[in-house]
Amino acid sequence: MTTSPDRETTLSLTDAGDACRRVIDEVERAVVGKRQALELVLSAVVAGGHVLLEDFPGLGKTLAARSFARALGLDFQRAQFTPDLLPADLTGSYVYDQSRREFTFRAGPLFAGFLLADEINRTPPKTQAALLEAMQEHQVTVEGRTHPLPRPFHVMATANPVETEGTYPLPEAQLDRFLLRLRFGYPDEADEWEILSRRIARRTDDIETAQVLDAETLMAVQRAAEDVFVHPAVGRYAVAVTAATRSDAAASVGASPRGSLALLTCGRARALIEGRDFVTPDDIKALAPAALAHRVTIRPELWLSGVSGEQVVRAAVDSVPVPTEYLPDAG
């Protein structure tokens, strides 16, 4: 690790990859048996984006968010999204300070390094839009005044895919703002017993996660990911997979170019986590469902037939020829 004259921390690809794996190892102490999913979450963070966890209750979504925030050394805030939540409850508002005889800004939970937006589909669209502005612009606007958010700033949102009563599903345009959407899924029996046995050994429900990085080091990791090599053949492969979702007969709307960009940036991050300085076609394949499925809209007449965005994406991956050139010395 080095520091330039302007105090910007820099990391080599090797050091950045080591740091990522130490973060995963630490988070895995709390979230058992989900290393592949945890690597996807960290890939999105290293790529500078946000994650939507759409899964059943009790599968470790909140625990994962809190553990990542602690391991990454970021200030953690949790916002429980409810039907009566207002935009000002997230962004903050101006309150009158009698001692100063003026209005001062009181920041809301958005002003954190890592925000857990719990059950995002339970709050009205106006409040969802306030969060989406912060995610995209890294700032909030309150009463005509703009307030920049801290950097780094990352959102992990959760949604329950089963309960639909009293919910406000995110429109496709807002889903597109999430770099990845993924699920943890139920653990197998061995992992579930491991969860129980660790609880017995701890003698408490609380799980302590150690800090591995800090905000400045995380940003150095994010900068290092920009040095991961992407062969033009792999870049065109990502574009072809994304474009294939648009020509699928089951899709009324395919993934936008933002999907290709998600494959590129998260592919670099995944390569870094796995200790490589180049992106492979396997990175694109592994990321495609999480990066593209939520950007695909299925034709209404097929909703009852069980066709999903994931199926469209997997069909696209299967239909596109895999490039054989991807090493740096082959470019």
Side-chain angles (χ1 to χ4, degrees):
M1 180 187 298
T2 60
T3 303
S4 60
D6 61 355
R7 298 183 180 180
E8 185 178 89
T9 301
T10 59
L11 291 175
S12 67
L13 287 176
T14 300
D15 290 340
D18 289 342
C20 289
R21 289 186 290 277
R22 284 188 281 114
V23 169
I24 294 293
D25 290 341
E26 187 60 33
V27 174
E28 204 174 23
R29 292 180 57 247
V31 183
V32 178
K34 299 298 177 185
R35 188 175 185 91
Q36 191 172 25
L38 296 178
E39 288 181 353
L40 288 176
V41 173
L42 186 58
S43 295
V45 172
V46 172
H50 312 283
V51 179
L52 175 61
L53 282 177
E54 193 174 83
D55 218 333
F56 305 118
L59 295 182
K61 301 185 293 294
T62 301
L63 177 62
R66 186 182 296 110
S67 300
F68 266 115
R70 176 62 179 166
L72 294 170
L74 302 179
D75 179 34
F76 176 73
Q77 292 285 347
R78 175 181 178 178
Q80 184 65 49
F81 280 51
T82 57
D84 60 349
L85 192 73
L86 300 175
D89 296 327
L90 284 179
T91 62
S93 58
Y94 283 90
V95 297
Y96 187 70
D97 187 337
Q98 290 187 345
S99 62
R100 298 181 179 180
R101 295 184 179 181
E102 63 181 11
F103 284 93
T104 60
F105 180 67
R106 181 174 294 172
L110 274 178
F111 289 82
F114 201 104
L115 173 70
L116 172 61
D118 212 359
E119 296 189 290
I120 187 175
N121 57 333
R122 290 198 176 278
T123 203
K126 190 172 183 179
T127 306
Q128 292 175 355
L131 174 65
L132 270 295
E133 178 202 356
M135 291 167 53
Q136 183 67 19
E137 307 297 336
H138 289 89
Q139 64 182 28
V140 297
T141 303
V142 180
E143 296 186 14
R145 299 184 184 181
T146 299
H147 302 270
L149 295 172
R151 288 184 179 269
F153 170 70
H154 297 282
V155 173
M156 180 183 287
T158 70
N160 186 342
V162 177
E163 296 181 13
T164 58
E165 185 176 354
T167 62
Y168 304 85
L170 288 172
E172 284 76 7
Q174 293 188 8
L175 279 174
D176 203 36
R177 300 296 180 180
F178 287 96
L179 201 58
L180 299 180
R181 182 186 69 175
L182 57 116
R183 298 177 175 88
F184 280 169
Y186 287 108
D188 59 30
E189 289 187 9
D191 288 334
E192 193 162 354
W193 167 242
E194 180 65 21
I195 294 171
L196 270 60
S197 61
R198 291 188 185 186
R199 169 60 182 84
I200 294 170
R202 285 197 310 271
R203 303 174 66 87
T204 177
D205 287 334
D206 297 333
I207 302 176
E208 292 296 330
T209 306
Q211 180 177 338
V212 177
L213 308 180
D214 56 25
E216 181 58 40
T217 307
L218 173 58
M219 288 191 290
V221 171
Q222 293 171 335
R223 289 190 291 268
E226 295 294 327
D227 294 327
V228 175
F229 176 78
V230 181
H231 193 283
V234 176
R236 287 192 290 269
Y237 176 63
V239 170
V241 169
T242 305
T245 66
R246 304 168 198 157
S247 58
D248 193 295
S252 60
V253 179
S256 69
R258 192 176 282 133
S260 301
L261 192 59
L263 289 175
L264 169 68
T265 55
C266 291
R268 280 176 154 175
R270 186 175 188 269
L272 188 71
I273 293 170
E274 295 200 348
R276 286 181 278 105
D277 62 355
F278 58 93
V279 179
T280 71
D282 285 340
D283 293 321
I284 305 301
K285 289 182 180 181
L287 288 161
L292 301 180
H294 62 293
R295 308 177 198 273
V296 175
T297 303
I298 301 300
R299 293 186 180 278
E301 63 268 23
L302 298 177
W303 288 350
L304 296 179
S305 63
V307 178
S308 66
E310 286 84 356
Q311 291 175 331
V312 171
V313 172
R314 295 190 189 282
V317 171
D318 291 340
S319 68
V320 177
V322 179
T324 56
E325 292 182 292
Y326 50 82
L327 296 175
D329 58 358

Short mmCIF file of all heavy atoms in Angstrom, two decimals, residues 266-326:
data_model
loop_
_atom_site.label_atom_id
_atom_site.label_comp_id
_atom_site.label_asym_id
_atom_site.label_seq_id
_atom_site.Cartn_x
_atom_site.Cartn_y
_atom_site.Cartn_z
N CYS A 266 -18.58 -5.29 -12.69
CA CYS A 266 -18.60 -6.38 -11.70
C CYS A 266 -17.66 -7.51 -12.11
O CYS A 266 -17.11 -8.21 -11.24
CB CYS A 266 -20.02 -6.91 -11.52
SG CYS A 266 -21.13 -5.76 -10.71
N GLY A 267 -17.48 -7.70 -13.41
CA GLY A 267 -16.51 -8.70 -13.86
C GLY A 267 -15.11 -8.36 -13.42
O GLY A 267 -14.35 -9.24 -13.00
N ARG A 268 -14.75 -7.10 -13.51
CA ARG A 268 -13.44 -6.67 -13.02
C ARG A 268 -13.32 -6.92 -11.52
O ARG A 268 -12.29 -7.40 -11.03
CB ARG A 268 -13.24 -5.18 -13.32
CG ARG A 268 -12.82 -4.88 -14.73
CD ARG A 268 -12.74 -3.39 -14.97
NE ARG A 268 -11.80 -3.06 -16.03
CZ ARG A 268 -11.61 -1.85 -16.51
NH1 ARG A 268 -12.32 -0.84 -16.00
NH2 ARG A 268 -10.74 -1.63 -17.47
N ALA A 269 -14.38 -6.58 -10.78
CA ALA A 269 -14.35 -6.77 -9.33
C ALA A 269 -14.24 -8.25 -8.98
O ALA A 269 -13.49 -8.64 -8.08
CB ALA A 269 -15.60 -6.16 -8.70
N ARG A 270 -14.98 -9.10 -9.68
CA ARG A 270 -14.94 -10.54 -9.40
C ARG A 270 -13.55 -11.10 -9.69
O ARG A 270 -13.03 -11.94 -8.93
CB ARG A 270 -16.00 -11.27 -10.23
CG ARG A 270 -16.11 -12.76 -9.91
CD ARG A 270 -17.26 -13.39 -10.69
NE ARG A 270 -17.50 -14.76 -10.25
CZ ARG A 270 -16.93 -15.83 -10.78
NH1 ARG A 270 -16.06 -15.69 -11.79
NH2 ARG A 270 -17.20 -17.04 -10.33
N ALA A 271 -12.95 -10.65 -10.79
CA ALA A 271 -11.59 -11.10 -11.10
C ALA A 271 -10.62 -10.69 -9.99
O ALA A 271 -9.76 -11.48 -9.56
CB ALA A 271 -11.14 -10.52 -12.44
N LEU A 272 -10.77 -9.48 -9.49
CA LEU A 272 -9.91 -9.00 -8.41
C LEU A 272 -10.07 -9.86 -7.17
O LEU A 272 -9.09 -10.26 -6.54
CB LEU A 272 -10.27 -7.54 -8.10
CG LEU A 272 -9.36 -6.79 -7.13
CD1 LEU A 272 -8.02 -6.51 -7.78
CD2 LEU A 272 -10.01 -5.50 -6.68
N ILE A 273 -11.32 -10.17 -6.81
CA ILE A 273 -11.59 -10.99 -5.63
C ILE A 273 -10.97 -12.38 -5.78
O ILE A 273 -10.46 -12.96 -4.80
CB ILE A 273 -13.11 -11.09 -5.39
CG1 ILE A 273 -13.66 -9.72 -4.99
CG2 ILE A 273 -13.44 -12.12 -4.32
CD1 ILE A 273 -15.18 -9.65 -4.97
N GLU A 274 -10.97 -12.90 -6.98
CA GLU A 274 -10.43 -14.23 -7.22
C GLU A 274 -8.94 -14.24 -7.50
O GLU A 274 -8.36 -15.28 -7.81
CB GLU A 274 -11.18 -14.90 -8.38
CG GLU A 274 -12.66 -15.15 -8.06
CD GLU A 274 -13.27 -16.20 -8.95
OE1 GLU A 274 -12.63 -16.56 -9.97
OE2 GLU A 274 -14.37 -16.67 -8.63
N GLY A 275 -8.31 -13.07 -7.40
CA GLY A 275 -6.86 -13.01 -7.51
C GLY A 275 -6.32 -12.96 -8.93
O GLY A 275 -5.18 -13.34 -9.18
N ARG A 276 -7.14 -12.49 -9.88
CA ARG A 276 -6.70 -12.38 -11.26
C ARG A 276 -6.63 -10.92 -11.68
O ARG A 276 -7.33 -10.08 -11.11
CB ARG A 276 -7.68 -13.12 -12.19
CG ARG A 276 -7.57 -14.64 -12.13
CD ARG A 276 -8.55 -15.30 -13.09
NE ARG A 276 -9.90 -15.40 -12.51
CZ ARG A 276 -10.92 -14.67 -12.84
NH1 ARG A 276 -10.80 -13.72 -13.76
NH2 ARG A 276 -12.11 -14.82 -12.27
N ASP A 277 -5.78 -10.65 -12.67
CA ASP A 277 -5.69 -9.29 -13.20
C ASP A 277 -6.36 -9.18 -14.57
O ASP A 277 -6.12 -8.24 -15.31
CB ASP A 277 -4.24 -8.82 -13.28
CG ASP A 277 -3.39 -9.68 -14.22
OD1 ASP A 277 -3.91 -10.70 -14.74
OD2 ASP A 277 -2.21 -9.34 -14.43
N PHE A 278 -7.23 -10.12 -14.89
CA PHE A 278 -7.96 -10.09 -16.15
C PHE A 278 -9.33 -10.75 -15.96
O PHE A 278 -9.52 -11.62 -15.11
CB PHE A 278 -7.19 -10.81 -17.26
CG PHE A 278 -6.87 -12.24 -16.96
CD1 PHE A 278 -7.72 -13.28 -17.36
CD2 PHE A 278 -5.71 -12.57 -16.26
CE1 PHE A 278 -7.43 -14.59 -17.07
CE2 PHE A 278 -5.41 -13.90 -15.97
CZ PHE A 278 -6.27 -14.91 -16.38
N VAL A 279 -10.28 -10.31 -16.78
CA VAL A 279 -11.64 -10.84 -16.73
C VAL A 279 -11.75 -12.01 -17.70
O VAL A 279 -11.22 -11.96 -18.82
CB VAL A 279 -12.66 -9.74 -17.11
CG1 VAL A 279 -14.08 -10.30 -17.09
CG2 VAL A 279 -12.55 -8.57 -16.16
N THR A 280 -12.45 -13.06 -17.29
CA THR A 280 -12.66 -14.23 -18.14
C THR A 280 -14.14 -14.32 -18.54
O THR A 280 -15.01 -13.72 -17.89
CB THR A 280 -12.26 -15.52 -17.41
OG1 THR A 280 -13.22 -15.79 -16.37
CG2 THR A 280 -10.87 -15.40 -16.81
N PRO A 281 -14.44 -15.12 -19.57
CA PRO A 281 -15.85 -15.35 -19.91
C PRO A 281 -16.64 -15.97 -18.75
O PRO A 281 -17.84 -15.73 -18.62
CB PRO A 281 -15.78 -16.30 -21.11
CG PRO A 281 -14.46 -16.01 -21.73
CD PRO A 281 -13.54 -15.69 -20.59
N ASP A 282 -15.96 -16.75 -17.91
CA ASP A 282 -16.65 -17.34 -16.76
C ASP A 282 -17.14 -16.27 -15.79
O ASP A 282 -18.16 -16.46 -15.11
CB ASP A 282 -15.72 -18.32 -16.03
CG ASP A 282 -15.56 -19.63 -16.79
OD1 ASP A 282 -16.42 -19.93 -17.64
OD2 ASP A 282 -14.56 -20.33 -16.55
N ASP A 283 -16.42 -15.16 -15.68
CA ASP A 283 -16.89 -14.04 -14.85
C ASP A 283 -18.22 -13.51 -15.39
O ASP A 283 -19.15 -13.25 -14.62
CB ASP A 283 -15.85 -12.92 -14.82
CG ASP A 283 -14.58 -13.31 -14.10
OD1 ASP A 283 -14.66 -14.00 -13.08
OD2 ASP A 283 -13.49 -12.92 -14.57
N ILE A 284 -18.30 -13.36 -16.70
CA ILE A 284 -19.52 -12.86 -17.32
C ILE A 284 -20.67 -13.83 -17.09
O ILE A 284 -21.79 -13.44 -16.74
CB ILE A 284 -19.31 -12.62 -18.82
CG1 ILE A 284 -18.10 -11.68 -19.05
CG2 ILE A 284 -20.57 -12.05 -19.46
CD1 ILE A 284 -18.23 -10.32 -18.40
N LYS A 285 -20.40 -15.12 -17.26
CA LYS A 285 -21.43 -16.14 -17.06
C LYS A 285 -21.94 -16.14 -15.63
O LYS A 285 -23.15 -16.24 -15.38
CB LYS A 285 -20.88 -17.52 -17.40
CG LYS A 285 -20.64 -17.77 -18.87
CD LYS A 285 -20.13 -19.19 -19.06
CE LYS A 285 -19.87 -19.52 -20.52
NZ LYS A 285 -19.39 -20.91 -20.70
N ALA A 286 -21.01 -16.06 -14.67
CA ALA A 286 -21.40 -16.10 -13.26
C ALA A 286 -22.21 -14.89 -12.84
O ALA A 286 -23.09 -14.98 -11.98
CB ALA A 286 -20.14 -16.22 -12.39
N LEU A 287 -21.95 -13.75 -13.46
CA LEU A 287 -22.61 -12.51 -13.08
C LEU A 287 -23.90 -12.24 -13.85
O LEU A 287 -24.75 -11.46 -13.39
CB LEU A 287 -21.66 -11.33 -13.30
CG LEU A 287 -20.49 -11.22 -12.32
CD1 LEU A 287 -19.39 -10.34 -12.91
CD2 LEU A 287 -20.96 -10.66 -10.99
N ALA A 288 -24.06 -12.88 -15.00
CA ALA A 288 -25.17 -12.54 -15.89
C ALA A 288 -26.55 -12.59 -15.23
O ALA A 288 -27.32 -11.64 -15.36
CB ALA A 288 -25.13 -13.42 -17.14
N PRO A 289 -26.91 -13.67 -14.50
CA PRO A 289 -28.25 -13.67 -13.90
C PRO A 289 -28.47 -12.52 -12.92
O PRO A 289 -29.53 -11.87 -12.93
CB PRO A 289 -28.31 -15.03 -13.19
CG PRO A 289 -27.34 -15.88 -13.93
CD PRO A 289 -26.23 -14.96 -14.30
N ALA A 290 -27.48 -12.24 -12.06
CA ALA A 290 -27.64 -11.17 -11.07
C ALA A 290 -27.59 -9.79 -11.69
O ALA A 290 -28.21 -8.86 -11.19
CB ALA A 290 -26.56 -11.31 -9.99
N ALA A 291 -26.84 -9.65 -12.80
CA ALA A 291 -26.67 -8.33 -13.42
C ALA A 291 -27.75 -8.00 -14.44
O ALA A 291 -28.03 -6.82 -14.69
CB ALA A 291 -25.30 -8.25 -14.09
N LEU A 292 -28.38 -9.02 -15.03
CA LEU A 292 -29.28 -8.77 -16.16
C LEU A 292 -30.74 -9.13 -15.91
O LEU A 292 -31.63 -8.51 -16.50
CB LEU A 292 -28.79 -9.54 -17.40
CG LEU A 292 -27.39 -9.23 -17.90
CD1 LEU A 292 -27.08 -10.08 -19.14
CD2 LEU A 292 -27.23 -7.76 -18.22
N ALA A 293 -31.02 -10.13 -15.06
CA ALA A 293 -32.38 -10.65 -14.96
C ALA A 293 -33.38 -9.59 -14.53
O ALA A 293 -34.52 -9.56 -15.02
CB ALA A 293 -32.42 -11.84 -14.00
N HIS A 294 -32.99 -8.69 -13.62
CA HIS A 294 -33.93 -7.67 -13.15
C HIS A 294 -34.10 -6.53 -14.16
O HIS A 294 -34.93 -5.64 -13.96
CB HIS A 294 -33.50 -7.11 -11.80
CG HIS A 294 -32.16 -6.42 -11.81
ND1 HIS A 294 -30.98 -7.10 -12.02
CD2 HIS A 294 -31.81 -5.13 -11.61
CE1 HIS A 294 -29.96 -6.25 -11.94
NE2 HIS A 294 -30.44 -5.05 -11.72
N ARG A 295 -33.35 -6.58 -15.24
CA ARG A 295 -33.49 -5.58 -16.30
C ARG A 295 -34.32 -6.11 -17.47
O ARG A 295 -34.48 -5.43 -18.49
CB ARG A 295 -32.10 -5.17 -16.81
CG ARG A 295 -31.15 -4.74 -15.70
CD ARG A 295 -29.76 -4.42 -16.23
NE ARG A 295 -28.76 -4.42 -15.18
CZ ARG A 295 -28.45 -3.38 -14.41
NH1 ARG A 295 -29.08 -2.24 -14.59
NH2 ARG A 295 -27.53 -3.48 -13.47
N VAL A 296 -34.83 -7.34 -17.34
CA VAL A 296 -35.63 -7.97 -18.38
C VAL A 296 -37.10 -7.97 -17.97
O VAL A 296 -37.44 -8.36 -16.85
CB VAL A 296 -35.16 -9.42 -18.63
CG1 VAL A 296 -36.08 -10.13 -19.62
CG2 VAL A 296 -33.71 -9.44 -19.13
N THR A 297 -37.97 -7.54 -18.86
CA THR A 297 -39.41 -7.54 -18.61
C THR A 297 -40.06 -8.64 -19.43
O THR A 297 -39.93 -8.67 -20.67
CB THR A 297 -40.04 -6.18 -18.99
OG1 THR A 297 -39.38 -5.14 -18.27
CG2 THR A 297 -41.53 -6.16 -18.66
N ILE A 298 -40.75 -9.55 -18.75
CA ILE A 298 -41.40 -10.67 -19.41
C ILE A 298 -42.74 -10.21 -19.99
O ILE A 298 -43.44 -9.38 -19.41
CB ILE A 298 -41.60 -11.83 -18.42
CG1 ILE A 298 -40.26 -12.28 -17.85
CG2 ILE A 298 -42.32 -13.00 -19.08
CD1 ILE A 298 -39.28 -12.77 -18.90
N ARG A 299 -43.12 -10.77 -21.13
CA ARG A 299 -44.41 -10.44 -21.75
C ARG A 299 -45.55 -10.78 -20.80
O ARG A 299 -45.55 -11.85 -20.18
CB ARG A 299 -44.57 -11.19 -23.06
CG ARG A 299 -43.59 -10.76 -24.14
CD ARG A 299 -43.89 -11.44 -25.46
NE ARG A 299 -42.94 -11.01 -26.48
CZ ARG A 299 -43.03 -9.88 -27.18
NH1 ARG A 299 -44.06 -9.06 -26.96
NH2 ARG A 299 -42.12 -9.56 -28.08
N PRO A 300 -46.53 -9.90 -20.67
CA PRO A 300 -47.62 -10.13 -19.71
C PRO A 300 -48.33 -11.46 -19.88
O PRO A 300 -48.73 -12.10 -18.90
CB PRO A 300 -48.56 -8.94 -19.96
CG PRO A 300 -47.70 -7.89 -20.56
CD PRO A 300 -46.68 -8.61 -21.37
N GLU A 301 -48.50 -11.90 -21.12
CA GLU A 301 -49.23 -13.14 -21.35
C GLU A 301 -48.47 -14.37 -20.85
O GLU A 301 -49.04 -15.47 -20.78
CB GLU A 301 -49.57 -13.30 -22.84
CG GLU A 301 -48.36 -13.41 -23.75
CD GLU A 301 -47.90 -12.07 -24.29
OE1 GLU A 301 -48.21 -11.04 -23.65
OE2 GLU A 301 -47.24 -12.05 -25.35
N LEU A 302 -47.19 -14.20 -20.49
CA LEU A 302 -46.39 -15.33 -20.02
C LEU A 302 -46.21 -15.34 -18.50
O LEU A 302 -45.53 -16.22 -17.98
CB LEU A 302 -45.01 -15.31 -20.70
CG LEU A 302 -45.01 -15.46 -22.22
CD1 LEU A 302 -43.59 -15.36 -22.76
CD2 LEU A 302 -45.63 -16.78 -22.62
N TRP A 303 -46.77 -14.35 -17.80
CA TRP A 303 -46.57 -14.27 -16.36
C TRP A 303 -47.05 -15.53 -15.65
O TRP A 303 -46.39 -16.03 -14.74
CB TRP A 303 -47.32 -13.05 -15.80
CG TRP A 303 -46.67 -11.75 -16.15
CD1 TRP A 303 -45.44 -11.56 -16.72
CD2 TRP A 303 -47.22 -10.44 -15.96
NE1 TRP A 303 -45.19 -10.23 -16.92
CE2 TRP A 303 -46.26 -9.50 -16.45
CE3 TRP A 303 -48.40 -9.97 -15.44
CZ2 TRP A 303 -46.47 -8.14 -16.42
CZ3 TRP A 303 -48.61 -8.60 -15.40
CH2 TRP A 303 -47.66 -7.70 -15.89
N LEU A 304 -48.19 -16.05 -16.06
CA LEU A 304 -48.76 -17.22 -15.39
C LEU A 304 -48.06 -18.52 -15.76
O LEU A 304 -48.29 -19.55 -15.13
CB LEU A 304 -50.27 -17.33 -15.68
CG LEU A 304 -51.14 -16.18 -15.15
CD1 LEU A 304 -52.59 -16.40 -15.54
CD2 LEU A 304 -51.00 -16.06 -13.64
N SER A 305 -47.23 -18.48 -16.79
CA SER A 305 -46.54 -19.70 -17.22
C SER A 305 -45.23 -19.93 -16.49
O SER A 305 -44.55 -20.92 -16.73
CB SER A 305 -46.28 -19.65 -18.73
OG SER A 305 -45.42 -18.57 -19.06
N GLY A 306 -44.86 -19.00 -15.62
CA GLY A 306 -43.66 -19.18 -14.81
C GLY A 306 -42.36 -18.77 -15.49
O GLY A 306 -41.28 -19.04 -14.96
N VAL A 307 -42.44 -18.14 -16.65
CA VAL A 307 -41.23 -17.67 -17.32
C VAL A 307 -40.64 -16.51 -16.53
O VAL A 307 -41.36 -15.61 -16.09
CB VAL A 307 -41.54 -17.23 -18.76
CG1 VAL A 307 -40.27 -16.70 -19.45
CG2 VAL A 307 -42.12 -18.39 -19.55
N SER A 308 -39.34 -16.52 -16.33
CA SER A 308 -38.67 -15.50 -15.51
C SER A 308 -37.54 -14.84 -16.27
O SER A 308 -37.07 -15.35 -17.30
CB SER A 308 -38.11 -16.13 -14.22
OG SER A 308 -37.08 -17.04 -14.53
N GLY A 309 -37.10 -13.72 -15.74
CA GLY A 309 -35.95 -13.04 -16.32
C GLY A 309 -34.70 -13.89 -16.26
O GLY A 309 -33.86 -13.84 -17.17
N GLU A 310 -34.55 -14.67 -15.18
CA GLU A 310 -33.40 -15.55 -15.06
C GLU A 310 -33.34 -16.56 -16.21
O GLU A 310 -32.26 -16.84 -16.75
CB GLU A 310 -33.42 -16.29 -13.72
CG GLU A 310 -33.06 -15.43 -12.52
CD GLU A 310 -34.26 -14.64 -11.99
OE1 GLU A 310 -35.35 -14.71 -12.63
OE2 GLU A 310 -34.10 -13.95 -10.97
N GLN A 311 -34.51 -17.10 -16.60
CA GLN A 311 -34.54 -18.05 -17.69
C GLN A 311 -34.13 -17.40 -19.01
O GLN A 311 -33.40 -18.00 -19.82
CB GLN A 311 -35.93 -18.66 -17.82
CG GLN A 311 -36.31 -19.58 -16.66
CD GLN A 311 -37.75 -20.07 -16.74
OE1 GLN A 311 -38.61 -19.37 -17.29
NE2 GLN A 311 -38.01 -21.24 -16.20
N VAL A 312 -34.57 -16.17 -19.22
CA VAL A 312 -34.19 -15.45 -20.43
C VAL A 312 -32.69 -15.22 -20.46
O VAL A 312 -32.03 -15.41 -21.50
CB VAL A 312 -34.95 -14.11 -20.52
CG1 VAL A 312 -34.39 -13.25 -21.66
CG2 VAL A 312 -36.44 -14.35 -20.72
N VAL A 313 -32.12 -14.85 -19.33
CA VAL A 313 -30.68 -14.58 -19.26
C VAL A 313 -29.88 -15.86 -19.49
O VAL A 313 -28.88 -15.87 -20.23
CB VAL A 313 -30.31 -13.92 -17.93
CG1 VAL A 313 -28.79 -13.82 -17.77
CG2 VAL A 313 -30.94 -12.55 -17.82
N ARG A 314 -30.29 -16.94 -18.87
CA ARG A 314 -29.56 -18.20 -19.04
C ARG A 314 -29.64 -18.69 -20.48
O ARG A 314 -28.67 -19.25 -21.01
CB ARG A 314 -30.08 -19.25 -18.06
CG ARG A 314 -29.82 -18.89 -16.61
CD ARG A 314 -30.11 -20.02 -15.65
NE ARG A 314 -30.05 -19.56 -14.27
CZ ARG A 314 -28.93 -19.36 -13.59
NH1 ARG A 314 -27.76 -19.59 -14.18
NH2 ARG A 314 -28.94 -18.94 -12.34
N ALA A 315 -30.78 -18.48 -21.11
CA ALA A 315 -30.90 -18.83 -22.53
C ALA A 315 -29.97 -17.97 -23.38
O ALA A 315 -29.36 -18.45 -24.35
CB ALA A 315 -32.35 -18.66 -22.99
N ALA A 316 -29.85 -16.69 -23.01
CA ALA A 316 -28.94 -15.81 -23.73
C ALA A 316 -27.49 -16.26 -23.57
O ALA A 316 -26.71 -16.28 -24.55
CB ALA A 316 -29.10 -14.37 -23.23
N VAL A 317 -27.11 -16.65 -22.36
CA VAL A 317 -25.74 -17.13 -22.12
C VAL A 317 -25.47 -18.39 -22.93
O VAL A 317 -24.39 -18.55 -23.52
CB VAL A 317 -25.53 -17.39 -20.61
CG1 VAL A 317 -24.20 -18.10 -20.37
CG2 VAL A 317 -25.56 -16.08 -19.84
N ASP A 318 -26.45 -19.28 -22.99
CA ASP A 318 -26.27 -20.53 -23.73
C ASP A 318 -26.18 -20.31 -25.24
O ASP A 318 -25.57 -21.12 -25.95
CB ASP A 318 -27.43 -21.49 -23.43
CG ASP A 318 -27.41 -22.00 -22.00
OD1 ASP A 318 -26.33 -21.94 -21.36
OD2 ASP A 318 -28.47 -22.44 -21.51
N SER A 319 -26.78 -19.24 -25.73
CA SER A 319 -26.85 -19.02 -27.18
C SER A 319 -25.66 -18.27 -27.75
O SER A 319 -25.45 -18.29 -28.97
CB SER A 319 -28.13 -18.26 -27.52
OG SER A 319 -28.08 -16.92 -27.02
N VAL A 320 -24.87 -17.62 -26.90
CA VAL A 320 -23.76 -16.79 -27.38
C VAL A 320 -22.46 -17.58 -27.33
O VAL A 320 -22.12 -18.13 -26.27
CB VAL A 320 -23.64 -15.49 -26.55
CG1 VAL A 320 -22.44 -14.67 -27.02
CG2 VAL A 320 -24.92 -14.68 -26.65
N PRO A 321 -21.72 -17.66 -28.43
CA PRO A 321 -20.44 -18.37 -28.43
C PRO A 321 -19.46 -17.75 -27.43
O PRO A 321 -19.37 -16.52 -27.30
CB PRO A 321 -19.94 -18.21 -29.86
CG PRO A 321 -21.15 -17.90 -30.67
CD PRO A 321 -22.07 -17.13 -29.77
N VAL A 322 -18.72 -18.61 -26.74
CA VAL A 322 -17.78 -18.16 -25.71
C VAL A 322 -16.43 -17.87 -26.35
O VAL A 322 -15.88 -18.72 -27.05
CB VAL A 322 -17.63 -19.21 -24.61
CG1 VAL A 322 -16.64 -18.74 -23.54
CG2 VAL A 322 -18.98 -19.53 -23.98
N PRO A 323 -15.87 -16.69 -26.12
CA PRO A 323 -14.56 -16.39 -26.71
C PRO A 323 -13.45 -17.21 -26.07
O PRO A 323 -13.54 -17.59 -24.90
CB PRO A 323 -14.39 -14.89 -26.41
CG PRO A 323 -15.23 -14.64 -25.20
CD PRO A 323 -16.41 -15.57 -25.33
N THR A 324 -12.44 -17.48 -26.82
CA THR A 324 -11.28 -18.25 -26.32
C THR A 324 -10.09 -17.35 -25.99
O THR A 324 -9.14 -17.80 -25.35
CB THR A 324 -10.86 -19.29 -27.34
OG1 THR A 324 -10.57 -18.64 -28.60
CG2 THR A 324 -11.98 -20.31 -27.57
N GLU A 325 -10.14 -16.11 -26.45
CA GLU A 325 -9.07 -15.17 -26.16
C GLU A 325 -9.49 -14.22 -25.05
O GLU A 325 -10.54 -13.56 -25.16
CB GLU A 325 -8.71 -14.35 -27.41
CG GLU A 325 -8.07 -15.15 -28.52
CD GLU A 325 -7.70 -14.25 -29.69
OE1 GLU A 325 -8.63 -13.74 -30.34
OE2 GLU A 325 -6.49 -14.05 -29.92
N TYR A 326 -8.73 -14.17 -24.00
CA TYR A 326 -9.05 -13.21 -22.92
C TYR A 326 -7.84 -12.85 -22.07
O TYR A 326 -7.95 -12.04 -21.16
CB TYR A 326 -10.16 -13.76 -22.03
CG TYR A 326 -9.95 -15.16 -21.51
CD1 TYR A 326 -9.15 -15.40 -20.41
CD2 TYR A 326 -10.57 -16.24 -22.13
CE1 TYR A 326 -8.95 -16.69 -19.93
CE2 TYR A 326 -10.39 -17.53 -21.65
CZ TYR A 326 -9.59 -17.75 -20.56
OH TYR A 326 -9.39 -19.02 -20.09
#
